[in-house]
Amino acid sequence: MNLTFWTNALMITGCLFMLLAAVGIYRMPDLFTRMHAATKVGTMGVSGLMLAVAVYFGDLGTTTRALLILLFFLITAPVAAHMIGRSAYLSRVTLWSGTSVNEWPLPSPKSPDPQKEEEPPTP
Amino acid sequence: MTDSVQGVSSLVMAVLFLATLIAMIRVVKGPSLPDRVIAIDLITTLAVGIIAVYTIKTGNPVYLTAAIALALLAFLGTVALALYIRRGGPP
């Protein structure tokens, strides 16, 4: 029961992650959000399926090969996504209209409290 | 208890083919070239997953070598297409 149960559980988990990656690449509004969906969730799905292979065959060679594929995906998927994202941004792909950048969120200025807690140092 | 693995692997393979079809829609209607590149990358990842499930279904671990080769080719193809987009893309 044990190995069969874990094989089935890992296969179903990986397959659901794969389906989630495909739905994400279909539904997301932007290139970069689609890239998030495809890369990370796809890597999770492949890792689930490869762990299912490694559990189902108890063999040393098969387990090594499955973990090698998994390690290869864990190394190469972020590199490929980084290169595609950089190339796409440099070739001026249009961003999503809801994209906002806030690198250092400050407290809102419409409610000035008298006790200034964080005052910037003045020379 | 091997029958349960057979049934579940058939179901999982059907869901993976459905996911491939959904990603193929993005390949067809992607607005720009990097969208299509990412979708093709996801389709190759799905093909590696399908090979893994087929390995479990047949019980023959020879097919994992094909999965290794396919993962390598997917990475090289994605990097080559990224450099192609960086150099200016299609005219």
Side-chain angles (χ1 to χ4, degrees), chain A residues 4 8 11-12 15 18-19 21-22 25-26 31 34-35 38 42 46 49-50 52-53 56-57 62 65 69 72-73 76 80 83-84 86-88 90-91, chain B residues 1-2 4-5 8 12 15-16 19 22 25-26 34-35 37-39 42 45-46 49 52-53 55-56 59 61 64-65 67-68 71-72 75 78 82 86:
Chain A
T4 305
N8 289 336
M11 264 200 301
I12 288 173
C15 143
M18 285 289 204
L19 185 63
I25 209 171
Y26 176 62
L31 172 77
R34 271 175 218 148
M35 208 167 60
V46 164
L49 293 176
M50 283 303 155
V53 171
Y56 182 68
F57 300 95
T62 310
R65 250 176 269 165
I69 296 173
F72 189 76
F73 263 97
T76 60
M83 290 196 68
I84 281 291
R86 186 172 179 274
S87 301
L90 288 178
S91 66
Chain B
M1 288 303 277
T2 317
S4 142
V5 171
V8 170
V12 162
V15 176
L16 285 180
I22 293 173
I25 294 173
R26 180 52 71 191
D35 291 314
V37 174
I38 289 172
L42 179 68
T45 309
L46 284 164
V53 177
T55 307
I56 291 179
L64 279 181
T65 315
I68 294 175
L72 190 67
F75 174 63
T78 306
R86 181 70 189 90

Short mmCIF file of all heavy atoms in Angstrom, two decimals, chain A residues 4 8 11-12 15 18-19 21-22 25-26 31 34-35 38 42 46 49-50 52-53 56-57 62 65 69 72-73 76 80 83-84 86-88 90-91, chain B residues 1-2 4-5 8 12 15-16 19 22 25-26 34-35 37-39 42 45-46 49 52-53 55-56 59 61 64-65 67-68 71-72 75 78 82 86:
data_model
loop_
_atom_site.label_atom_id
_atom_site.label_comp_id
_atom_site.label_asym_id
_atom_site.label_seq_id
_atom_site.Cartn_x
_atom_site.Cartn_y
_atom_site.Cartn_z
N THR A 4 2.64 2.24 -3.55
CA THR A 4 1.58 2.56 -4.50
C THR A 4 0.89 3.86 -4.14
O THR A 4 0.66 4.71 -4.99
CB THR A 4 0.56 1.42 -4.51
OG1 THR A 4 1.24 0.21 -4.78
CG2 THR A 4 -0.48 1.64 -5.57
N ASN A 8 0.95 7.26 -6.46
CA ASN A 8 -0.27 7.90 -6.93
C ASN A 8 -0.37 9.34 -6.44
O ASN A 8 -0.73 10.24 -7.20
CB ASN A 8 -1.49 7.12 -6.45
CG ASN A 8 -1.62 5.81 -7.18
OD1 ASN A 8 -1.13 5.67 -8.28
ND2 ASN A 8 -2.28 4.86 -6.56
N MET A 11 2.10 11.53 -8.36
CA MET A 11 1.67 11.74 -9.75
C MET A 11 0.51 12.72 -9.83
O MET A 11 0.49 13.61 -10.68
CB MET A 11 1.25 10.40 -10.37
CG MET A 11 2.32 9.74 -11.17
SD MET A 11 1.68 8.54 -12.32
CE MET A 11 0.84 7.41 -11.24
N ILE A 12 -0.46 12.58 -8.92
CA ILE A 12 -1.62 13.47 -8.98
C ILE A 12 -1.21 14.90 -8.63
O ILE A 12 -1.65 15.87 -9.26
CB ILE A 12 -2.73 12.94 -8.06
CG1 ILE A 12 -3.34 11.68 -8.67
CG2 ILE A 12 -3.82 13.97 -7.86
CD1 ILE A 12 -4.30 10.98 -7.77
N CYS A 15 0.66 16.36 -11.61
CA CYS A 15 -0.25 16.60 -12.73
C CYS A 15 -1.12 17.81 -12.46
O CYS A 15 -1.38 18.61 -13.38
CB CYS A 15 -1.07 15.35 -12.95
SG CYS A 15 -2.72 15.56 -13.42
N MET A 18 1.00 20.81 -13.14
CA MET A 18 1.15 21.01 -14.58
C MET A 18 -0.09 21.66 -15.18
O MET A 18 0.00 22.60 -15.99
CB MET A 18 1.39 19.66 -15.26
CG MET A 18 2.75 19.12 -15.06
SD MET A 18 3.95 20.06 -15.96
CE MET A 18 5.20 18.84 -16.11
N LEU A 19 -1.27 21.19 -14.76
CA LEU A 19 -2.51 21.79 -15.26
C LEU A 19 -2.63 23.24 -14.81
O LEU A 19 -3.06 24.12 -15.57
CB LEU A 19 -3.71 20.97 -14.76
CG LEU A 19 -5.07 21.39 -15.30
CD1 LEU A 19 -5.11 21.19 -16.79
CD2 LEU A 19 -6.17 20.61 -14.64
N ALA A 21 -0.09 25.24 -14.30
CA ALA A 21 0.83 26.01 -15.13
C ALA A 21 0.22 26.34 -16.47
O ALA A 21 0.33 27.48 -16.96
CB ALA A 21 2.13 25.23 -15.31
N ALA A 22 -0.47 25.36 -17.08
CA ALA A 22 -1.08 25.61 -18.38
C ALA A 22 -2.22 26.63 -18.27
O ALA A 22 -2.33 27.54 -19.10
CB ALA A 22 -1.60 24.30 -18.97
N ILE A 25 -0.65 30.03 -17.86
CA ILE A 25 -0.10 30.61 -19.08
C ILE A 25 -1.21 31.00 -20.04
O ILE A 25 -1.01 31.80 -20.95
CB ILE A 25 0.91 29.65 -19.73
CG1 ILE A 25 1.96 30.45 -20.48
CG2 ILE A 25 0.27 28.72 -20.69
CD1 ILE A 25 3.09 29.62 -20.97
N TYR A 26 -2.40 30.45 -19.85
CA TYR A 26 -3.51 30.87 -20.69
C TYR A 26 -4.23 32.10 -20.13
O TYR A 26 -4.65 32.96 -20.87
CB TYR A 26 -4.52 29.73 -20.84
CG TYR A 26 -5.74 30.10 -21.62
CD1 TYR A 26 -5.64 30.49 -22.96
CD2 TYR A 26 -6.99 30.07 -21.04
CE1 TYR A 26 -6.74 30.84 -23.67
CE2 TYR A 26 -8.11 30.42 -21.75
CZ TYR A 26 -7.98 30.81 -23.07
OH TYR A 26 -9.09 31.17 -23.77
N LEU A 31 3.19 39.16 -20.20
CA LEU A 31 4.26 38.20 -20.48
C LEU A 31 4.97 37.76 -19.21
O LEU A 31 5.26 36.58 -19.02
CB LEU A 31 5.28 38.86 -21.42
CG LEU A 31 6.53 38.02 -21.61
CD1 LEU A 31 6.26 36.89 -22.55
CD2 LEU A 31 7.66 38.85 -22.09
N ARG A 34 2.89 35.53 -17.00
CA ARG A 34 2.85 34.21 -17.64
C ARG A 34 4.14 33.44 -17.41
O ARG A 34 4.13 32.23 -17.25
CB ARG A 34 2.64 34.40 -19.14
CG ARG A 34 1.21 34.45 -19.54
CD ARG A 34 1.12 34.75 -21.00
NE ARG A 34 0.00 35.62 -21.25
CZ ARG A 34 -0.03 36.52 -22.21
NH1 ARG A 34 0.99 36.68 -23.00
NH2 ARG A 34 -1.09 37.25 -22.38
N MET A 35 5.25 34.20 -17.39
CA MET A 35 6.54 33.56 -17.16
C MET A 35 6.63 32.99 -15.75
O MET A 35 7.16 31.89 -15.56
CB MET A 35 7.62 34.59 -17.39
CG MET A 35 8.90 34.05 -17.84
SD MET A 35 9.90 35.38 -18.40
CE MET A 35 10.00 36.35 -16.94
N ALA A 38 4.56 29.76 -15.88
CA ALA A 38 5.15 28.66 -16.64
C ALA A 38 6.37 28.09 -15.94
O ALA A 38 6.51 26.87 -15.82
CB ALA A 38 5.53 29.13 -18.03
N GLY A 42 5.60 24.95 -13.47
CA GLY A 42 6.02 23.83 -14.30
C GLY A 42 7.14 23.03 -13.67
O GLY A 42 7.16 21.79 -13.75
N VAL A 46 7.04 19.02 -12.75
CA VAL A 46 8.06 18.05 -13.17
C VAL A 46 8.69 17.38 -11.96
O VAL A 46 8.96 16.18 -11.97
CB VAL A 46 9.11 18.73 -14.06
CG1 VAL A 46 10.34 17.88 -14.18
CG2 VAL A 46 8.54 18.95 -15.43
N LEU A 49 6.31 14.65 -10.73
CA LEU A 49 6.29 13.46 -11.58
C LEU A 49 7.60 12.68 -11.48
O LEU A 49 7.60 11.44 -11.45
CB LEU A 49 6.01 13.87 -13.02
CG LEU A 49 4.61 14.41 -13.25
CD1 LEU A 49 4.44 14.87 -14.67
CD2 LEU A 49 3.57 13.37 -12.92
N MET A 50 8.73 13.40 -11.41
CA MET A 50 10.00 12.69 -11.33
C MET A 50 10.16 12.00 -9.97
O MET A 50 10.73 10.91 -9.90
CB MET A 50 11.15 13.67 -11.55
CG MET A 50 11.34 14.03 -12.99
SD MET A 50 11.62 12.58 -13.99
CE MET A 50 11.08 13.15 -15.56
N ALA A 52 7.69 10.77 -8.39
CA ALA A 52 6.84 9.58 -8.53
C ALA A 52 7.58 8.46 -9.24
O ALA A 52 7.49 7.29 -8.84
CB ALA A 52 5.56 9.95 -9.30
N VAL A 53 8.35 8.82 -10.29
CA VAL A 53 9.15 7.80 -10.98
C VAL A 53 10.18 7.20 -10.04
O VAL A 53 10.38 5.98 -9.97
CB VAL A 53 9.84 8.41 -12.23
CG1 VAL A 53 10.84 7.44 -12.82
CG2 VAL A 53 8.82 8.75 -13.27
N TYR A 56 8.44 4.88 -7.59
CA TYR A 56 7.82 3.68 -8.17
C TYR A 56 8.87 2.63 -8.52
O TYR A 56 8.71 1.46 -8.20
CB TYR A 56 7.03 4.06 -9.41
CG TYR A 56 6.31 2.92 -10.05
CD1 TYR A 56 5.24 2.31 -9.41
CD2 TYR A 56 6.70 2.44 -11.30
CE1 TYR A 56 4.58 1.26 -10.00
CE2 TYR A 56 6.04 1.39 -11.88
CZ TYR A 56 4.99 0.80 -11.22
OH TYR A 56 4.34 -0.25 -11.80
N PHE A 57 9.97 3.04 -9.17
CA PHE A 57 11.07 2.10 -9.37
C PHE A 57 12.01 2.25 -8.19
O PHE A 57 12.52 3.33 -7.92
CB PHE A 57 11.84 2.45 -10.65
CG PHE A 57 11.01 2.41 -11.89
CD1 PHE A 57 10.43 3.55 -12.38
CD2 PHE A 57 10.81 1.22 -12.55
CE1 PHE A 57 9.68 3.53 -13.53
CE2 PHE A 57 10.06 1.19 -13.70
CZ PHE A 57 9.49 2.34 -14.18
N THR A 62 17.56 4.04 -12.01
CA THR A 62 16.37 4.82 -12.38
C THR A 62 16.17 6.00 -11.46
O THR A 62 15.85 7.11 -11.90
CB THR A 62 15.15 3.90 -12.34
OG1 THR A 62 15.45 2.72 -13.07
CG2 THR A 62 13.97 4.58 -12.96
N ARG A 65 18.64 8.67 -12.36
CA ARG A 65 18.28 9.39 -13.59
C ARG A 65 17.13 10.36 -13.34
O ARG A 65 17.16 11.50 -13.81
CB ARG A 65 17.90 8.39 -14.67
CG ARG A 65 18.92 8.32 -15.78
CD ARG A 65 18.58 7.26 -16.77
NE ARG A 65 19.20 5.99 -16.41
CZ ARG A 65 18.84 4.83 -16.92
NH1 ARG A 65 17.88 4.78 -17.80
NH2 ARG A 65 19.44 3.73 -16.55
N ILE A 69 17.26 14.44 -13.79
CA ILE A 69 16.34 15.29 -14.58
C ILE A 69 15.78 16.39 -13.71
O ILE A 69 15.69 17.56 -14.11
CB ILE A 69 15.22 14.42 -15.18
CG1 ILE A 69 15.79 13.42 -16.17
CG2 ILE A 69 14.21 15.29 -15.88
CD1 ILE A 69 14.77 12.44 -16.66
N PHE A 72 18.40 18.98 -13.09
CA PHE A 72 18.62 19.74 -14.32
C PHE A 72 17.52 20.78 -14.51
O PHE A 72 17.81 21.94 -14.86
CB PHE A 72 18.65 18.77 -15.49
CG PHE A 72 19.08 19.39 -16.77
CD1 PHE A 72 20.41 19.67 -16.99
CD2 PHE A 72 18.17 19.71 -17.75
CE1 PHE A 72 20.82 20.25 -18.17
CE2 PHE A 72 18.57 20.29 -18.92
CZ PHE A 72 19.89 20.55 -19.14
N PHE A 73 16.28 20.41 -14.24
CA PHE A 73 15.20 21.40 -14.35
C PHE A 73 15.34 22.49 -13.31
O PHE A 73 15.12 23.67 -13.61
CB PHE A 73 13.84 20.72 -14.21
CG PHE A 73 13.21 20.42 -15.53
CD1 PHE A 73 13.32 19.18 -16.09
CD2 PHE A 73 12.53 21.40 -16.21
CE1 PHE A 73 12.77 18.92 -17.32
CE2 PHE A 73 11.97 21.14 -17.42
CZ PHE A 73 12.09 19.90 -17.98
N THR A 76 18.16 24.78 -14.77
CA THR A 76 18.03 25.49 -16.04
C THR A 76 16.76 26.31 -16.19
O THR A 76 16.75 27.25 -16.98
CB THR A 76 18.09 24.50 -17.21
OG1 THR A 76 17.02 23.57 -17.06
CG2 THR A 76 19.39 23.78 -17.24
N ALA A 80 16.71 30.02 -18.04
CA ALA A 80 15.96 30.24 -19.27
C ALA A 80 14.92 31.33 -19.10
O ALA A 80 14.75 32.20 -19.97
CB ALA A 80 15.30 28.93 -19.72
N MET A 83 16.63 34.72 -19.07
CA MET A 83 17.07 35.19 -20.38
C MET A 83 15.89 35.64 -21.24
O MET A 83 15.95 36.66 -21.92
CB MET A 83 17.85 34.10 -21.09
CG MET A 83 19.18 33.86 -20.44
SD MET A 83 20.30 32.95 -21.48
CE MET A 83 20.61 34.14 -22.75
N ILE A 84 14.78 34.87 -21.18
CA ILE A 84 13.60 35.26 -21.95
C ILE A 84 13.03 36.58 -21.44
O ILE A 84 12.67 37.47 -22.22
CB ILE A 84 12.55 34.14 -21.88
CG1 ILE A 84 12.93 33.04 -22.84
CG2 ILE A 84 11.18 34.65 -22.24
CD1 ILE A 84 12.81 33.42 -24.27
N ARG A 86 14.60 39.01 -19.82
CA ARG A 86 15.49 40.13 -20.13
C ARG A 86 15.38 40.51 -21.60
O ARG A 86 15.28 41.70 -21.94
CB ARG A 86 16.92 39.71 -19.80
CG ARG A 86 17.94 40.80 -19.94
CD ARG A 86 19.28 40.34 -19.40
NE ARG A 86 20.28 41.37 -19.54
CZ ARG A 86 21.00 41.55 -20.63
NH1 ARG A 86 20.81 40.76 -21.67
NH2 ARG A 86 21.89 42.51 -20.69
N SER A 87 15.39 39.52 -22.47
CA SER A 87 15.27 39.81 -23.90
C SER A 87 13.94 40.47 -24.22
O SER A 87 13.88 41.41 -25.01
CB SER A 87 15.42 38.53 -24.71
OG SER A 87 16.64 37.92 -24.45
N ALA A 88 12.87 39.98 -23.59
CA ALA A 88 11.56 40.55 -23.88
C ALA A 88 11.45 41.97 -23.37
O ALA A 88 10.89 42.85 -24.04
CB ALA A 88 10.48 39.68 -23.25
N LEU A 90 13.95 44.08 -22.97
CA LEU A 90 14.80 44.95 -23.78
C LEU A 90 14.24 45.16 -25.18
O LEU A 90 14.57 46.15 -25.83
CB LEU A 90 16.21 44.36 -23.86
CG LEU A 90 16.99 44.48 -22.56
CD1 LEU A 90 18.34 43.85 -22.71
CD2 LEU A 90 17.14 45.93 -22.17
N SER A 91 13.40 44.24 -25.65
CA SER A 91 12.77 44.45 -26.95
C SER A 91 11.40 45.10 -26.81
O SER A 91 10.59 45.06 -27.72
CB SER A 91 12.63 43.13 -27.71
OG SER A 91 11.73 42.29 -27.03
N MET B 1 -1.75 -4.55 -6.31
CA MET B 1 -2.10 -3.13 -6.21
C MET B 1 -1.50 -2.33 -7.37
O MET B 1 -1.40 -1.14 -7.32
CB MET B 1 -1.60 -2.56 -4.89
CG MET B 1 -2.41 -3.03 -3.69
SD MET B 1 -4.13 -2.65 -3.84
CE MET B 1 -4.10 -0.96 -3.27
N THR B 2 -1.03 -3.01 -8.42
CA THR B 2 -0.47 -2.29 -9.55
C THR B 2 -1.57 -1.69 -10.42
O THR B 2 -1.34 -0.74 -11.15
CB THR B 2 0.41 -3.22 -10.37
OG1 THR B 2 1.19 -3.99 -9.46
CG2 THR B 2 1.36 -2.48 -11.26
N SER B 4 -4.10 0.06 -9.55
CA SER B 4 -4.35 1.44 -9.14
C SER B 4 -3.36 2.39 -9.80
O SER B 4 -3.73 3.46 -10.28
CB SER B 4 -4.28 1.52 -7.62
OG SER B 4 -3.67 2.68 -7.22
N VAL B 5 -2.09 1.97 -9.89
CA VAL B 5 -1.09 2.81 -10.55
C VAL B 5 -1.41 2.94 -12.04
O VAL B 5 -1.30 4.02 -12.63
CB VAL B 5 0.32 2.23 -10.32
CG1 VAL B 5 1.35 2.94 -11.18
CG2 VAL B 5 0.70 2.35 -8.87
N VAL B 8 -4.46 5.41 -12.37
CA VAL B 8 -4.09 6.78 -12.04
C VAL B 8 -3.15 7.35 -13.10
O VAL B 8 -3.27 8.51 -13.48
CB VAL B 8 -3.46 6.83 -10.63
CG1 VAL B 8 -2.84 8.18 -10.36
CG2 VAL B 8 -4.52 6.58 -9.60
N VAL B 12 -3.77 10.68 -15.25
CA VAL B 12 -2.78 11.77 -15.20
C VAL B 12 -2.31 12.11 -16.61
O VAL B 12 -2.13 13.28 -16.96
CB VAL B 12 -1.61 11.35 -14.29
CG1 VAL B 12 -0.38 12.18 -14.54
CG2 VAL B 12 -2.03 11.47 -12.85
N VAL B 15 -4.94 14.27 -18.27
CA VAL B 15 -4.89 15.65 -17.78
C VAL B 15 -3.68 16.38 -18.37
O VAL B 15 -3.75 17.57 -18.71
CB VAL B 15 -4.88 15.66 -16.24
CG1 VAL B 15 -4.72 17.07 -15.72
CG2 VAL B 15 -6.16 15.10 -15.72
N LEU B 16 -2.56 15.67 -18.53
CA LEU B 16 -1.37 16.32 -19.11
C LEU B 16 -1.60 16.67 -20.58
O LEU B 16 -1.16 17.73 -21.05
CB LEU B 16 -0.16 15.41 -18.97
CG LEU B 16 0.44 15.33 -17.56
CD1 LEU B 16 1.63 14.40 -17.56
CD2 LEU B 16 0.85 16.68 -17.07
N ALA B 19 -3.61 19.79 -20.57
CA ALA B 19 -2.76 20.95 -20.29
C ALA B 19 -1.95 21.34 -21.52
O ALA B 19 -1.74 22.53 -21.79
CB ALA B 19 -1.84 20.64 -19.11
N ILE B 22 -4.19 23.35 -23.73
CA ILE B 22 -4.39 24.70 -23.21
C ILE B 22 -3.17 25.57 -23.50
O ILE B 22 -3.29 26.73 -23.88
CB ILE B 22 -4.70 24.64 -21.70
CG1 ILE B 22 -6.05 23.98 -21.47
CG2 ILE B 22 -4.75 26.03 -21.11
CD1 ILE B 22 -6.34 23.74 -20.01
N ILE B 25 -3.08 26.72 -27.13
CA ILE B 25 -3.91 27.89 -27.43
C ILE B 25 -3.07 29.16 -27.29
O ILE B 25 -3.14 30.07 -28.12
CB ILE B 25 -5.13 27.93 -26.49
CG1 ILE B 25 -6.04 26.75 -26.76
CG2 ILE B 25 -5.91 29.21 -26.68
CD1 ILE B 25 -7.17 26.63 -25.77
N ARG B 26 -2.22 29.20 -26.24
CA ARG B 26 -1.37 30.39 -26.06
C ARG B 26 -0.33 30.49 -27.16
O ARG B 26 0.03 31.59 -27.58
CB ARG B 26 -0.72 30.33 -24.67
CG ARG B 26 0.17 31.48 -24.35
CD ARG B 26 -0.49 32.79 -24.58
NE ARG B 26 -1.52 33.10 -23.60
CZ ARG B 26 -2.36 34.11 -23.74
NH1 ARG B 26 -2.28 34.90 -24.79
NH2 ARG B 26 -3.29 34.33 -22.84
N PRO B 34 7.98 36.38 -27.52
CA PRO B 34 8.35 35.75 -26.24
C PRO B 34 7.22 34.98 -25.58
O PRO B 34 7.48 33.98 -24.90
CB PRO B 34 8.78 36.94 -25.38
CG PRO B 34 9.24 37.94 -26.33
CD PRO B 34 8.35 37.81 -27.50
N ASP B 35 5.96 35.40 -25.81
CA ASP B 35 4.84 34.60 -25.30
C ASP B 35 4.85 33.20 -25.89
O ASP B 35 4.69 32.20 -25.19
CB ASP B 35 3.52 35.28 -25.65
CG ASP B 35 3.32 36.55 -24.88
OD1 ASP B 35 3.57 36.53 -23.67
OD2 ASP B 35 2.94 37.55 -25.49
N VAL B 37 7.42 31.69 -27.16
CA VAL B 37 8.61 30.95 -26.69
C VAL B 37 8.35 30.34 -25.32
O VAL B 37 8.68 29.17 -25.07
CB VAL B 37 9.83 31.88 -26.67
CG1 VAL B 37 11.02 31.17 -26.06
CG2 VAL B 37 10.18 32.32 -28.07
N ILE B 38 7.73 31.12 -24.42
CA ILE B 38 7.44 30.59 -23.09
C ILE B 38 6.44 29.45 -23.16
O ILE B 38 6.57 28.43 -22.47
CB ILE B 38 6.93 31.74 -22.19
CG1 ILE B 38 8.08 32.67 -21.88
CG2 ILE B 38 6.37 31.22 -20.91
CD1 ILE B 38 7.63 33.89 -21.17
N ALA B 39 5.44 29.58 -24.04
CA ALA B 39 4.45 28.52 -24.16
C ALA B 39 5.08 27.24 -24.72
O ALA B 39 4.76 26.13 -24.27
CB ALA B 39 3.30 28.98 -25.05
N LEU B 42 6.94 25.60 -21.97
CA LEU B 42 6.03 24.87 -21.08
C LEU B 42 5.56 23.58 -21.73
O LEU B 42 5.42 22.55 -21.06
CB LEU B 42 4.83 25.74 -20.72
CG LEU B 42 3.83 25.04 -19.82
CD1 LEU B 42 4.42 24.81 -18.46
CD2 LEU B 42 2.56 25.82 -19.71
N THR B 45 8.23 21.07 -21.26
CA THR B 45 8.18 20.57 -19.88
C THR B 45 7.06 19.55 -19.70
O THR B 45 7.23 18.52 -19.04
CB THR B 45 7.98 21.76 -18.92
OG1 THR B 45 8.94 22.76 -19.23
CG2 THR B 45 8.15 21.33 -17.50
N LEU B 46 5.92 19.85 -20.32
CA LEU B 46 4.80 18.90 -20.26
C LEU B 46 5.14 17.60 -20.97
O LEU B 46 4.71 16.53 -20.53
CB LEU B 46 3.56 19.54 -20.91
CG LEU B 46 2.84 20.58 -20.07
CD1 LEU B 46 1.91 21.38 -20.94
CD2 LEU B 46 2.05 19.89 -19.00
N GLY B 49 7.06 15.55 -18.62
CA GLY B 49 6.14 14.94 -17.66
C GLY B 49 5.38 13.77 -18.24
O GLY B 49 5.17 12.75 -17.57
N ALA B 52 7.58 10.84 -18.27
CA ALA B 52 7.70 10.26 -16.93
C ALA B 52 6.49 9.38 -16.60
O ALA B 52 6.64 8.27 -16.09
CB ALA B 52 7.85 11.37 -15.90
N VAL B 53 5.29 9.88 -16.93
CA VAL B 53 4.09 9.09 -16.64
C VAL B 53 4.05 7.84 -17.51
O VAL B 53 3.63 6.76 -17.07
CB VAL B 53 2.83 9.96 -16.86
CG1 VAL B 53 1.58 9.16 -16.64
CG2 VAL B 53 2.85 11.11 -15.90
N THR B 55 6.66 6.23 -18.53
CA THR B 55 7.62 5.31 -17.92
C THR B 55 6.98 4.53 -16.78
O THR B 55 7.18 3.32 -16.65
CB THR B 55 8.82 6.11 -17.40
OG1 THR B 55 9.33 6.90 -18.45
CG2 THR B 55 9.90 5.19 -16.90
N ILE B 56 6.20 5.23 -15.95
CA ILE B 56 5.51 4.53 -14.86
C ILE B 56 4.48 3.56 -15.41
O ILE B 56 4.34 2.42 -14.94
CB ILE B 56 4.86 5.55 -13.92
CG1 ILE B 56 5.94 6.31 -13.17
CG2 ILE B 56 3.94 4.88 -12.92
CD1 ILE B 56 5.41 7.35 -12.25
N GLY B 59 6.32 0.60 -17.07
CA GLY B 59 7.24 -0.11 -16.20
C GLY B 59 8.60 -0.34 -16.80
O GLY B 59 9.35 -1.20 -16.35
N PRO B 61 12.08 1.56 -17.58
CA PRO B 61 12.75 2.84 -17.30
C PRO B 61 13.69 3.32 -18.40
O PRO B 61 14.48 4.22 -18.17
CB PRO B 61 13.52 2.52 -16.02
CG PRO B 61 13.77 1.07 -16.09
CD PRO B 61 12.59 0.46 -16.78
N LEU B 64 13.43 7.21 -19.74
CA LEU B 64 13.92 8.38 -19.01
C LEU B 64 15.10 9.04 -19.72
O LEU B 64 15.33 10.23 -19.56
CB LEU B 64 14.34 7.99 -17.59
CG LEU B 64 13.19 7.86 -16.60
CD1 LEU B 64 13.73 7.50 -15.24
CD2 LEU B 64 12.45 9.16 -16.51
N THR B 65 15.84 8.26 -20.52
CA THR B 65 16.93 8.84 -21.29
C THR B 65 16.40 9.86 -22.30
O THR B 65 17.00 10.92 -22.51
CB THR B 65 17.69 7.72 -22.00
OG1 THR B 65 17.91 6.66 -21.07
CG2 THR B 65 19.02 8.21 -22.50
N ALA B 67 13.78 11.58 -21.84
CA ALA B 67 13.39 12.76 -21.05
C ALA B 67 14.59 13.65 -20.77
O ALA B 67 14.49 14.88 -20.83
CB ALA B 67 12.73 12.32 -19.74
N ILE B 68 15.76 13.03 -20.50
CA ILE B 68 16.98 13.82 -20.29
C ILE B 68 17.33 14.61 -21.55
O ILE B 68 17.59 15.82 -21.50
CB ILE B 68 18.15 12.88 -19.88
CG1 ILE B 68 17.89 12.26 -18.53
CG2 ILE B 68 19.45 13.65 -19.86
CD1 ILE B 68 18.93 11.25 -18.13
N ALA B 71 14.88 17.50 -22.10
CA ALA B 71 15.10 18.63 -21.19
C ALA B 71 16.28 19.47 -21.64
O ALA B 71 16.22 20.71 -21.66
CB ALA B 71 15.32 18.11 -19.77
N LEU B 72 17.35 18.78 -22.08
CA LEU B 72 18.54 19.50 -22.58
C LEU B 72 18.19 20.31 -23.81
O LEU B 72 18.56 21.49 -23.93
CB LEU B 72 19.63 18.48 -22.90
CG LEU B 72 21.02 18.99 -23.20
CD1 LEU B 72 21.59 19.60 -21.95
CD2 LEU B 72 21.89 17.88 -23.69
N PHE B 75 16.14 23.47 -22.96
CA PHE B 75 16.94 24.58 -22.44
C PHE B 75 17.74 25.26 -23.55
O PHE B 75 17.75 26.50 -23.66
CB PHE B 75 17.89 24.06 -21.36
CG PHE B 75 18.85 25.08 -20.85
CD1 PHE B 75 18.39 26.21 -20.21
CD2 PHE B 75 20.20 24.92 -21.02
CE1 PHE B 75 19.27 27.17 -19.75
CE2 PHE B 75 21.09 25.87 -20.57
CZ PHE B 75 20.62 26.99 -19.94
N THR B 78 15.40 27.32 -25.79
CA THR B 78 14.92 28.55 -25.16
C THR B 78 16.00 29.61 -25.12
O THR B 78 15.75 30.78 -25.41
CB THR B 78 14.42 28.24 -23.74
OG1 THR B 78 13.48 27.18 -23.82
CG2 THR B 78 13.76 29.44 -23.14
N ALA B 82 15.98 33.17 -27.01
CA ALA B 82 16.15 34.41 -26.24
C ALA B 82 17.24 35.27 -26.87
O ALA B 82 17.06 36.50 -27.00
CB ALA B 82 16.50 34.08 -24.80
N ARG B 86 16.85 38.94 -28.54
CA ARG B 86 17.73 40.03 -28.09
C ARG B 86 18.42 40.72 -29.28
O ARG B 86 18.60 41.93 -29.28
CB ARG B 86 18.77 39.44 -27.14
CG ARG B 86 19.74 40.41 -26.55
CD ARG B 86 19.08 41.33 -25.57
NE ARG B 86 19.99 42.38 -25.17
CZ ARG B 86 20.09 43.54 -25.80
NH1 ARG B 86 19.34 43.79 -26.84
NH2 ARG B 86 20.92 44.46 -25.39
#
